[in-house]
């Protein structure tokens, strides 16, 4: 019944895994970016462009707070959610945090044809992705209760690993 917060770099597989978990484990899905975009009536890129990143980050923090009202949700967070310590505290108080990882090579393959990520506009090279991953690595790792590498794994395998590791830490 616990909430699961999926965190990780853009293209690490959060949305795919969240949707699989919601369908197969009878959990409610919260796709944060999608919800923010639909409430604002514009794409994430347009929100960044029109109002700036801080405005988006404020919406993101507010939505996370909203999620605390309910149990049994799988919450697919935007890749930058860990940038604010306040967000990490909110997640820790309301569920378990699962970090999905992937190499820069895998990430590049997954995001190559997607124009919906403003922070990767004009930065779709292994070097640029590695640089941004490196800046964030410490924050991702410090926030995570569970870390799952997603390279070359099916969604089913990733979800099984999440379940197993969740069981392990529940038993602690
Ligand atoms: C961001 C990741 C995006 C989205 C926004 C900012 C980030 O979400 O929230 O573009 O700072 O890493 P995804 O991780 O779902 O692409």
């Amino acid at each position: 019944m616990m909430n699961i917060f999926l965190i990780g770099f853009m293209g690490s597989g959060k949305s795919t895994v969240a949707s699989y978990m919601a369908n197969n484990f009878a959990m409610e899905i919260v796709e944060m970016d999608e919800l923010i975009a639909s409430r604002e009536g514009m794409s994430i890129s347009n929100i960044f462009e029109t109002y700036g990143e801080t405005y988006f980050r404020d919406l993101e923090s507010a939505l996370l707070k909203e999620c605390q009202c309910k149990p049994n949700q799988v919450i697919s967070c935007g890749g930058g959610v860990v940038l604010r310590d306040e967000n990490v505290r909110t997640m820790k108080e309301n569920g378990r945090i699962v970090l999905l990882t992937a190499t820069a090579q895998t990430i590049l393959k997954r995001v190559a044809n997607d124009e919906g990520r403003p922070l990767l506009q004009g930065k779709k090279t292994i070097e640029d992705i590695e640089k941004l991953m490196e800046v964030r690595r410490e924050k991702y790792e410090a926030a995570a209760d569970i870390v799952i590498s997603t390279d070359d794994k099916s969604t089913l395998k990733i979800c099984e690993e999440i379940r197993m590791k969740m069981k392990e830490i529940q038993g602690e």
Side-chain angles (χ1 to χ4, degrees), residues 4 10 15 20 27 31 42-43 68 84-85 95 112 118 123 130 132 137 143 147 152 157 160 162 166 168:
I4 294 181
M10 292 167 270
S15 301
Y20 187 95
M27 299 179 82
E31 181 58 62
M42 60 173 98
S43 69
Q68 29 185 26
R84 289 188 176 175
D85 293 343
K123 292 195 175 154
E130 271 172 351
L132 187 52
R137 187 181 311 279
V147 183
D152 304 317
K157 171 98 173 67
E160 276 171 355
I162 293 174
M166 283 288 284
E168 273 169 37

Side-chain angles (χ1 to χ4, degrees), residues 8-11 14-15 31 33 44 48 53 56-57 60 76-81 83 116-119 132 136 140:
F9 201 80
M10 292 167 270
K14 295 163 294 192
S15 301
E31 181 58 62
D33 281 352
I44 300 296
F48 269 67
E53 183 170 345
F56 171 78
R57 298 294 173 206
E60 188 170 59
S76 172
C77 301
V81 78
L83 297 177
R117 294 183 166 100
L119 298 183
L132 187 52
R136 292 184 172 182
Y140 283 134

Side-chain angles (χ1 to χ4, degrees), residues 3-4 6 18 21-22 27-31 72-76:
N3 289 322
I4 294 181
L6 297 175
M21 289 181 82
M27 299 179 82
E28 191 172 323
I29 188 169
V30 180
E31 181 58 62
N72 199 36
Q73 304 168 101
V74 55
I75 298 140
S76 172

Side-chain angles (χ1 to χ4, degrees), residues 140-157:
Y140 283 134
E141 287 173 1
D145 294 306
I146 290 172
V147 183
I148 309 276
S149 133
T150 66
D151 295 287
D152 304 317
K153 285 182 194 158
S154 67
T155 308
L156 171 62
K157 171 98 173 67

